Amino acid sequence: MKILFITSILVVFLFSCKKEVQPALQDLDCSCAKEVSADFMMEETYAYGYEWETRIDTDTIYYNKNVVFTALEENAEYTWLIGSEIISEKTVARYFNQSLAGQTIPIKLIVKKKPNLICFPEDDGIDTLEKNLYISSEDWTNVYDYPNYRFEGTFRMKEKNATDSIDITVYLMPNDEMGVDGLDFPQRFIFVNALGTNEIKNAGVLSINYREFYYDSGQGPDEFFRWNLNGIWELKFRGLHYLGEKK
């Protein structure tokens, strides 16, 4: 009888422990959890490492430009395969000169990290991703001479806080055509009808990447015209912020 009594106590104790642990597992929130990922950004840069550096995530760059590759997974083991190079850093920067113009460079990243097996029991903690970086044959120093340049034309855009869209016409012109001399960077970025009028608005370009222009219209340094990877055109100009598409 004593043996049976002790056994009964043990059974009750084990079941009571199980009841305490199980709700904790059921209540675990996995909504913000993610599997180990090798996703990364490829950012073309202007003036890499300087105070006025600008970057944009891209799949295409001008030649003679730097690109910063950054893994999005934190606190992991990283293996980059860039050409014949093998690099083990979270962030890598490389310069692509004119000899690579017109070429597509595969960029591969392998990430290893202890997985979250509670939320993702089948995650082995290893992920691999390869993206292609195209080196354009365009020279970023003379984009003002290109006919039908992608940043020129008419764009249907809507100000972020507005309900109605407007047509914004954009074209580029060198400074010498405007009679402006003596500048270190001898070009201008010109907006026509940028504020819904026929008035010409101009701005001096500060930096150029394949998918964006940074400029200064006198209303602050954070002004740009950008073609995002999702296909949306984005314009910040004289305190206004527009989103839209090219017509």
Side-chain angles (χ1 to χ4, degrees):
M1 293 297 293
K2 290 183 180 180
I3 295 175
L4 291 175
F5 178 72
I6 294 172
T7 303
S8 299
I9 293 176
L10 288 174
V11 170
V12 171
F13 175 76
L14 290 173
F15 274 98
S16 65
C17 291
K18 185 177 181 181
K19 289 180 180 179
E20 289 179 358
V21 173
Q22 191 64 28
L25 292 175
Q26 291 176 345
D27 294 340
L28 183 65
D29 184 8
C30 291
S31 61
C32 295
K34 296 180 180 179
E35 294 185 74
V36 174
S37 171
D39 196 12
F40 59 92
M41 292 191 300
M42 301 190 297
E43 295 176 293
E44 181 182 7
T45 72
Y46 180 86
Y48 176 61
Y50 290 85
E51 182 180 354
W52 58 87
E53 176 187 358
T54 60
R55 298 185 186 184
I56 185 169
D57 195 19
T58 187
D59 54 8
T60 306
I61 67 169
Y62 293 117
Y63 65 78
N64 289 340
K65 295 294 289 291
N66 287 292
V67 178
V68 178
F69 304 97
T70 304
L72 299 182
E73 190 72 61
E74 298 287 348
N75 304 315
E77 177 183 335
Y78 313 99
T79 302
W80 294 92
L81 304 178
I82 303 176
S84 60
E85 289 188 280
I86 301 176
I87 308 106
S88 301
E89 303 289 342
K90 184 178 187 294
T91 300
V92 181
R94 288 295 181 270
Y95 180 76
F96 296 87
N97 62 32
Q98 186 173 356
S99 68
L100 298 172
Q103 297 187 34
T104 298
I105 310 297
I107 311 294
K108 180 182 287 188
L109 174 62
I110 304 169
V111 169
K112 297 181 181 179
K113 182 179 180 179
K114 184 177 179 180
N116 181 345
L117 294 178
I118 296 177
C119 293
F120 305 102
E122 297 183 0
D123 187 1
D124 63 1
I126 303 174
D127 192 36
T128 301
L129 180 64
E130 182 175 296
K131 296 183 181 181
N132 289 323
L133 178 67
Y134 179 68
I135 316 301
S136 170
S137 297
E138 296 178 3
D139 182 350
W140 67 271
T141 63
N142 63 4
V143 296
Y144 296 82
D145 298 326
Y146 296 150
N148 303 315
Y149 188 53
R150 62 184 165 276
F151 280 88
E152 295 184 298
T154 300
F155 301 80
R156 173 61 57 90
M157 310 192 84
K158 183 177 75 69
E159 206 274 322
K160 268 194 167 183
N161 299 319
T163 56
D164 296 329
S165 59
I166 62 172
D167 286 345
I168 297 176
T169 304
V170 179
Y171 70 95
L172 306 176
M173 181 183 294
N175 268 332
D176 53 8
E177 293 184 23
M178 298 178 61
V180 180
D181 300 315
L183 297 180
D184 292 334
F185 197 85
Q187 285 93 16
R188 301 282 282 183
F189 192 24
I190 311 301
F191 296 87
V192 180
N193 202 23
L195 302 177
T197 71
N198 291 322
E199 182 182 359
I200 295 178
K201 307 290 184 180
N202 62 53
V205 174
L206 301 177
S207 65
I208 298 175
N209 291 319
Y210 184 86
R211 287 184 172 271
E212 71 179 356
F213 282 75
Y214 269 84
Y215 53 86
D216 183 7
S217 68
Q219 301 296 316
D222 188 21
E223 296 187 308
F224 57 80
F225 191 32
R226 178 181 295 161
W227 181 32
N228 294 293
L229 277 173
N230 61 7
I232 299 297
W233 289 84
E234 187 175 5
L235 167 66
K236 287 190 73 174
F237 188 72
R238 300 200 174 190
L240 298 177
H241 193 172
Y242 295 92
L243 296 172
E245 59 185 17
K246 192 171 186 178
K247 294 183 68 175

